[in-house]
Amino acid sequence: MTIAIVGAGLGGLALARMLHVNGIDAVVYERESSRDARGQGGMLDIHSGQRALREAGLIDQFHEIARREGQDMRLLQPDGTLLLQEDTPDDAPLARPEVDRADLRDLLLDSLPEGVVRWGHAFESAENGRLRFADGASATGDLLVGADGAQSRVRPLVTDARPAHLGQNVVEVGIPDIDRTRPDLAAMVGRGNYWVLGDGVSLGAQCNGDGRVRIGISFYHTGEDWLATSGIPFDDPAAARARLIDLLDGWNPRITALIEACDDLVVPRSISVLPVGLTWPSTPGVTLIGDAAHLMPPVGEGANMALLDGALLGLALAAHPDDFPTAVKEYEREMFERTSAAARMSADMQELLMSPDAAQRLLAFFQPG
């Protein structure tokens, strides 16, 4: 009995680790050519997902790479008014530490035996337990697990649901080695999260473990074609930065100075989600985890749910090593309930961020009463 996992993201690797710990054969098929084929993104707020790392026997290693100071937060209005500043004491518990996604992925990869992850395998289709890849290769598996993200190719095997645009578009930029290159801006951003919330637009800056500050400018109530019609020349980084500053008309120059200081990496992102509460009838031989199963707004739940999906599916399979259909049904029953609640909470937070008075509402959220 073998398990084929499509996708070497956090969920797929967490599942592979749990299966390895419990002596169950699994292979992870990943379309990227190597672990270093592309950047893995910024920081992750890991809270409920710590249970998965504990179940996988990796919690101590996680604590070694987690950034306690990443829990710091500053909340501002576009005119520069500071609404909230929370600095984390050095002895604070690691309740919601930040961790570089690349570091967490490396931790999971290094916990697996050589050869479990098969790089350069772009999944195309599956039928009767046989997987086919873009290069013409094939493989077999008694259970296929789609851990292949937002645009999952495995998802159509269990549901017709497709991601829909959320009405949010993001442009990501960044400042490398900010402590050395712009210590004034480093002091302004702080060690963790720096949020500026305006009417229909927000700027989030976050200090990463490698010294880079990643900045995301979110434009709400915008259509799927907005990035193409916004007038942002993505092929001309200097002009793109200038256009972004124009779009933040009236914002405090100290805040827009963050954009002026960025390097030439300018990345557009269109944000989509799956329906809240998505379920499907349990399908023999196939299931989904992570964004393939429950793509949510990017407000801090997706990575945690993916880690838990991987760990809990692994535990269910370990409890029923000779009865995969029963294990999958148990996993899906719990996953549907857990991730539906997380998706509803994420949707509520997204609605808050898109509101005209987002800054004041978020302040009330963090300081109720």
Side-chain angles (χ1 to χ4, degrees):
M1 298 284 280
T2 59
I3 298 172
I5 304 166
V6 175
L10 300 181
L13 294 174
L15 172 57
R17 168 64 182 181
M18 288 299 301
L19 295 174
H20 169 63
V21 167
N22 287 281
I24 299 174
D25 291 334
V27 178
V28 181
Y29 298 100
E30 169 54 49
R31 67 185 305 117
E32 294 174 7
S33 59
S34 71
R35 71 162 72 191
D36 301 317
R38 67 175 179 89
Q40 293 299 310
M43 305 294 288
L44 299 171
D45 165 16
I46 302 299
H47 41 92
S48 60
Q50 290 188 51
R51 176 190 171 189
L53 296 165
R54 189 171 291 108
E55 296 282 4
L58 298 173
I59 194 66
D60 290 339
Q61 295 96 313
F62 169 74
H63 286 160
E64 291 175 3
I65 62 173
R67 299 180 62 246
R68 177 181 281 104
E69 65 274 17
Q71 299 172 108
D72 290 3
M73 187 181 69
R74 297 177 184 183
L75 175 63
L76 298 91
Q77 293 177 321
D79 64 4
T81 301
L82 180 66
L83 299 177
L84 177 67
Q85 179 169 336
E86 292 185 345
D87 296 324
T88 307
D90 292 340
D91 59 350
L94 289 168
R96 301 182 69 105
E98 299 280 344
V99 65
D100 278 45
R101 180 187 288 270
D103 290 345
L104 182 55
R105 189 187 193 217
D106 282 345
L107 171 61
L108 290 165
L109 282 168
D110 292 341
S111 74
L112 298 173
E114 189 73 24
V116 168
V117 179
R118 309 284 174 86
W119 302 100
H121 283 69
F123 174 81
E124 286 286 327
S125 63
E127 186 176 0
N128 298 325
R130 179 164 292 276
L131 288 65
R132 301 192 182 279
F133 302 95
D135 63 358
S138 64
T140 59
D142 298 289
L143 174 64
L144 170 62
V145 181
D148 50 341
Q151 304 303 322
S152 171
R153 287 180 175 270
V154 179
R155 187 190 300 123
L157 299 176
V158 299
T159 175
D160 292 333
R162 299 288 185 274
H165 192 258
L166 185 59
Q168 176 185 357
N169 291 279
V170 180
V171 180
E172 292 186 3
V173 289
I175 307 172
D177 197 8
I178 191 171
D179 286 330
R180 183 182 63 82
T181 60
R182 289 300 302 267
D184 56 325
L185 296 180
M188 182 178 78
V189 170
R191 306 178 303 173
N193 293 284
Y194 179 91
W195 284 8
V196 187
L197 300 183
D199 183 0
V201 61
S202 70
L203 180 148
Q206 187 181 55
C207 185
N208 286 204
D210 61 0
R212 181 179 182 85
V213 163
R214 296 175 64 93
I215 299 165
I217 304 102
S218 294
F219 298 91
Y220 304 109
H221 308 292
T222 52
E224 199 165 359
D225 63 346
W226 183 87
L227 289 166
T229 62
S230 64
I232 302 172
F234 292 102
D235 57 349
D236 184 343
R241 292 192 295 270
R243 174 58 178 159
L244 286 169
I245 292 171
D246 287 344
L247 291 171
L248 301 182
D249 183 44
W251 283 43
N252 189 302
R254 291 194 67 217
I255 298 172
T256 56
L258 288 167
I259 300 174
E260 292 178 29
C262 288
D263 62 13
D264 287 347
L265 187 64
V266 183
V267 181
R269 298 197 187 281
S270 179
I271 307 301
S272 298
V273 295
L274 285 167
V276 173
L278 175 65
T279 64
W280 55 83
S282 195
T283 303
V286 61
T287 191
L288 305 175
I289 64 176
D291 285 349
H294 43 69
L295 182 64
M296 304 176 193
V299 295
E301 291 297 327
N304 288 278
M305 291 300 106
L307 288 168
L308 283 169
D309 288 351
L312 296 178
L313 176 55
L315 288 173
L317 291 165
H320 303 282
D322 299 317
D323 188 355
F324 285 179
T326 294
V328 167
K329 287 180 181 179
E330 287 187 2
Y331 153 73
E332 289 177 343
R333 188 181 308 115
E334 186 279 336
M335 182 269 289
F336 290 149
E337 182 177 355
R338 168 174 46 83
T339 62
S340 292
R344 284 191 293 271
M345 182 174 64
S346 297
D348 290 345
M349 178 60 73
Q350 183 71 17
E351 181 182 358
L352 184 156
L353 294 173
M354 296 176 75
S355 66
D357 57 345
Q360 294 298 331
R361 290 182 63 186
L362 192 61
L363 179 63
F365 175 83
F366 285 115
Q367 293 186 330

